Structure formats: structure tokens, C-alpha cells
Amino acid sequence: MTGPIKRLPMLPAERALKVISGRWKAVILYHLFDGPRRLSALKSQVPAITQKVLIQQLREMEEHGLVSREIFAEIPSRVEYSATPLGFSLEPILLALCEWGQHHADELNERERLADCIIRPRQAQHAPAASGN
């Protein structure tokens, strides 16, 4: 990481919310759970986000250890973003938030307004390898 991380709250729940807050972070992570993505691919998968906001959200997640950025020495240069193991550890939390959002909509009789949850547990596919590759 480059530079010091902005001071995060001392209360763990508040810290967690601060790190994952942002309209697009959960959606960006969802796409990164499927594998590394270039900026242009993320932009096409999240068309409602501006490129400026996408870059800002990626930088914040990188600063907090959720996303890594790899720059390939090619011409033209290529940059890929990936979820880190710490980022992958949010998958069950994002799934729980999605399920709670569905429950909340059910309680308020607004379920028909919701899209399907986009977070699906895939830990078995993306668990860090223990074989020492």
C-alpha cells in the first residue's frame, strides 16, 4: 500500500461499515469475486457508475486491503484489479446484507421492486490455496 491509511474508527462495527461504505463497493467486489478485471471490463459491468467514481472506489478498496491492482509491463500497459483474501472474506457478509435487504423489502411489502441478490457464496472456488503453490 502506498501512503498511510486514513484514520479508521475504533469501534469495529463502525470500522467495517466505513471500509465497505459506498454505493458501488459491494457491486464492484461482486464482479471481482469472479476473477481479475480490467477497468474497462468493470465499467461495462457497472454501466451506471462514472469512471471517476469507479477509480475512486477501487482506490479506497485498495487502500483498505480489499482489492489489489496489478500493472503488467506490456505496451500498451495493462492494469487488472482483483479481490484480495481480505476482500473475499466479505463475501458472506455481503450475502447476509443482501438477504437482510430482501427481508426488509418483504416486511414493507416492497419485494416486487427488488432485483435478485447478486452476491452468491463461492468460497469453495476462491479459497486461498493451502498447497503452497
Side-chain angles (χ1 to χ4, degrees):
M1 282 183 221
T2 62
I5 292 179
K6 293 176 191 152
R7 192 172 234 11
L8 291 170
M10 296 298 290
L11 184 65
E14 187 181 5
R15 180 186 184 102
L17 289 171
K18 178 78 172 169
V19 169
I20 64 171
S21 68
R23 179 175 176 191
W24 302 106
K25 287 182 183 174
V27 176
I28 295 166
L29 275 173
Y30 163 76
H31 292 295
L32 294 178
F33 289 160
D34 282 336
R37 296 281 188 275
R38 295 176 76 168
L39 188 67
S40 58
L42 284 170
K43 178 67 179 98
S44 68
Q45 290 175 313
V46 189
I49 193 172
T50 66
Q51 185 159 328
K52 177 184 174 185
V53 171
L54 175 59
I55 291 169
Q56 178 184 26
Q57 298 279 275
L58 284 164
R59 284 183 181 158
E60 288 176 17
M61 289 190 292
E62 185 179 8
E63 180 180 0
H64 292 122
L66 307 179
V67 169
S68 66
R69 177 174 42 121
E70 185 174 1
I71 303 168
F72 294 86
E74 300 174 356
I75 298 177
S77 64
R78 177 171 54 111
V79 178
E80 285 186 348
Y81 294 90
S82 303
T84 63
L86 186 59
F88 277 116
S89 73
L90 283 168
E91 199 170 23
I93 295 163
L94 295 178
L95 175 62
L97 283 171
C98 185
E99 290 170 347
W100 188 87
Q102 288 176 325
H103 170 72
H104 182 262
D106 287 341
E107 291 293 315
L108 299 179
N109 296 317
E110 294 182 342
R111 182 63 178 259
E112 70 281 351
R113 295 181 54 211
L114 290 186
D116 290 334
C117 274
I118 60 168
I119 305 296
R120 292 174 203 87
R122 287 182 294 271
Q123 290 89 348
Q125 295 174 10
H126 295 289
S131 62
N133 288 343

